[in-house]
Amino acid sequence: MRSRWTLDDRLERILREVPFEVPDGTAAVTVRLRYDRSQGVLDLGCGSPSGFRGWSGGARDEYTVTREWATPGYLPGEIQPGVWQVWLRLHRIPPGGLDFELDITTSADVPARPADPVVPMAERPPARDIPAVGALRWWAGDFHAHTVHSDGSLTVPQLAQLARSRGLDFLAVTDHNTVSHHPELPQAEGITLLPGQEVTTDRGHANVFGDVGWVDFRQDADSWTERGLMSINHPLGGDCAWLQPIKNRPQVAEIWHSGWWDRRWGAPLAWAEAWRDDVIPIGGSDFHRDGSDGLPGAPTTWVLAEDPTLVFDAVRQGRTAISAGPDAPLLLRLGDELLALDADGLVLVRPDGRRQVIRGERVLVPAGTGMHRLETHENEVMALCA
């Protein structure tokens, strides 16, 4: 099939479905998309008679779905006969239009599955000396990372070992508009991988956490909040900034994203205060590949919980803190006190604006209500604590 999308097509309806017939007895479906990437961007996905079968956005131009395996980002399983759809989102269409070609093939045979690389166990740095709070401990993690199941470069096992080598206890894997990575997460060694998905649109991104099934990015943002714990991602993130209309504002927000490269720029804090007065801050590296965005744990979100598998419940209760990295200066709530670690010479800023210089590497100070932060003398944020 050959055709052309115009800018008028995009403005009329950004997501298009191209139907095709899958005959009875089909064991594999392969779709190939061709267009000039120097001229525009077409996002790619798949729907079957039973609904969602996968999404890869602009990261791939080809996918295969079989009974036994599927291209990362897509769901394996029974190949139902009937009308399927190639999903095409007209992400960027030039004024002169964009020619494209679709090649769709079906087969009664299952092709061989590509081999997965062998991933050795990584060494984990020693844990920091942080006191427990009763039965609760502070766990180091990251709430935003990607794999080959969307536009990342690493497999799930490779990402797990990178995060472990960075000293993290948990990592939320949040591939774009898909849940195909979820079955692999429990198999990770030496670190807890938590399920999530980054619901991705042209008007903003949000993470929905938990094994809650696929969240339909085509629906309104309020419907996403009904599915599970949700955070607004990088709300000031350039062309990914949050523009979605939403009535029920989520309490959780990714206040500290790796894109906050100059932390003297106070806009994320101002946005958080304007969003809602009881916002729960979390951080995310948005890791895709080495040299892009931040490494896992840059920033690090610390969560006070009994176990790393229970961090989502702890986030709902507001037990979070954020640091620039696993070993960076840290501010944690220990009951009615705040513990400032490795923060000698930094300035504690309380919710009411009062300031106090921290003297020493391990200092306890009285805690108030609301979000506290550590800054340098130049107002560069070094740590946050809810």
Side-chain angles (χ1 to χ4, degrees), residues 32-65:
R32 297 179 178 88
L33 171 66
R34 299 181 183 88
Y35 65 96
D36 186 349
R37 279 184 170 267
S38 69
Q39 298 299 310
V41 178
L42 297 176
D43 290 342
L44 187 61
C46 182
S48 73
S50 61
F52 172 79
R53 288 304 290 262
W55 183 260
S56 50
R60 285 190 170 81
D61 293 336
E62 178 179 337
Y63 60 78
T64 295
V65 178

Side-chain angles (χ1 to χ4, degrees), residues 12-308:
E12 178 187 2
R13 185 159 55 91
I14 193 171
L15 184 72
R16 302 296 179 128
E17 299 86 15
V18 179
F20 64 96
E21 189 74 27
V22 172
D24 194 15
T26 297
V29 174
T30 296
V31 173
R32 297 179 178 88
L33 171 66
R34 299 181 183 88
Y35 65 96
D36 186 349
R37 279 184 170 267
S38 69
Q39 298 299 310
V41 178
L42 297 176
D43 290 342
L44 187 61
C46 182
S48 73
S50 61
F52 172 79
R53 288 304 290 262
W55 183 260
S56 50
R60 285 190 170 81
D61 293 336
E62 178 179 337
Y63 60 78
T64 295
V65 178
T66 80
R67 293 179 309 222
E68 301 170 8
W69 64 272
T71 299
Y74 295 80
L75 304 180
E78 193 64 32
I79 307 298
Q80 304 142 302
V83 178
W84 288 48
Q85 304 92 29
V86 176
W87 291 354
L88 294 175
R89 186 167 66 178
L90 315 186
H91 185 54
R92 291 179 184 160
I93 305 296
L98 184 65
D99 294 320
F100 73 98
E101 181 178 348
L102 276 177
D103 180 15
I104 303 169
T105 60
T106 61
S107 173
D109 300 318
V110 176
R113 178 175 185 167
D116 293 327
V118 176
V119 182
M121 178 71 81
E123 290 291 328
R124 188 188 188 284
R128 296 178 78 168
D129 181 16
I130 300 173
V133 182
L136 306 179
R137 283 184 54 194
W138 284 99
W139 305 96
D142 188 334
F143 281 97
H144 193 165
H146 298 277
T147 72
V148 294
H149 285 266
S150 59
D151 55 350
S153 65
L154 302 184
T155 65
V156 170
Q158 288 172 330
L159 177 63
Q161 292 313 309
L162 175 60
R164 175 181 165 84
S165 73
R166 297 270 296 159
L168 300 187
D169 302 301
F170 70 88
L171 178 71
V173 185
T174 55
D175 281 307
H176 297 279
N177 291 341
T178 190
V179 293
S180 62
H181 54 293
H182 286 191
E184 298 184 39
L185 304 183
Q187 305 167 29
E189 296 184 84
I191 187 172
T192 298
L193 297 186
L194 300 173
Q197 58 197 294
E198 186 169 17
V199 189
T200 305
T201 75
D202 286 356
R203 293 179 60 80
H205 301 183
N207 278 340
V208 176
F209 299 110
D211 193 9
V212 298
W214 179 64
V215 178
D216 193 340
F217 64 92
R218 302 169 298 178
Q219 304 299 320
D220 64 88
D222 279 288
S223 71
W224 310 345
T225 67
E226 299 169 1
R227 300 297 300 276
L229 181 68
M230 174 174 149
S231 76
I232 303 299
N233 287 354
H234 40 65
L236 300 176
D239 65 351
C240 299
W242 185 257
L243 299 172
Q244 284 279 2
I246 189 168
K247 296 177 182 177
N248 300 312
R249 294 187 175 188
Q251 188 176 9
V252 180
E254 189 182 74
I255 303 305
W256 194 329
H257 177 267
S258 59
W260 194 16
W261 57 272
D262 186 348
R263 296 191 299 277
R264 294 168 299 181
W265 180 54
L269 299 178
W271 181 92
E273 291 181 0
W275 181 250
R276 52 185 292 172
D277 57 11
D278 59 349
V279 68
I280 297 173
I282 61 173
S285 65
D286 201 359
F287 174 78
H288 287 79
R289 59 190 55 81
D290 193 16
S292 172
D293 307 305
L295 287 169
T300 297
T301 305
W302 300 80
V303 180
L304 186 63
E306 292 184 51
D307 185 89

Side-chain angles (χ1 to χ4, degrees), residues 294-353:
L295 287 169
T300 297
T301 305
W302 300 80
V303 180
L304 186 63
E306 292 184 51
D307 185 89
T309 62
L310 302 176
V311 298
F312 292 152
D313 289 335
V315 169
R316 288 186 179 93
Q317 297 175 46
R319 300 198 299 263
T320 66
I322 313 174
S323 62
D327 298 321
L330 185 56
L331 186 66
L332 299 173
R333 187 180 292 271
L334 304 178
D336 295 330
E337 293 183 304
L338 295 173
L339 172 63
L341 278 178
D342 304 316
D344 185 39
L346 297 182
V347 178
L348 171 66
V349 184
R350 297 183 180 276
D352 61 6

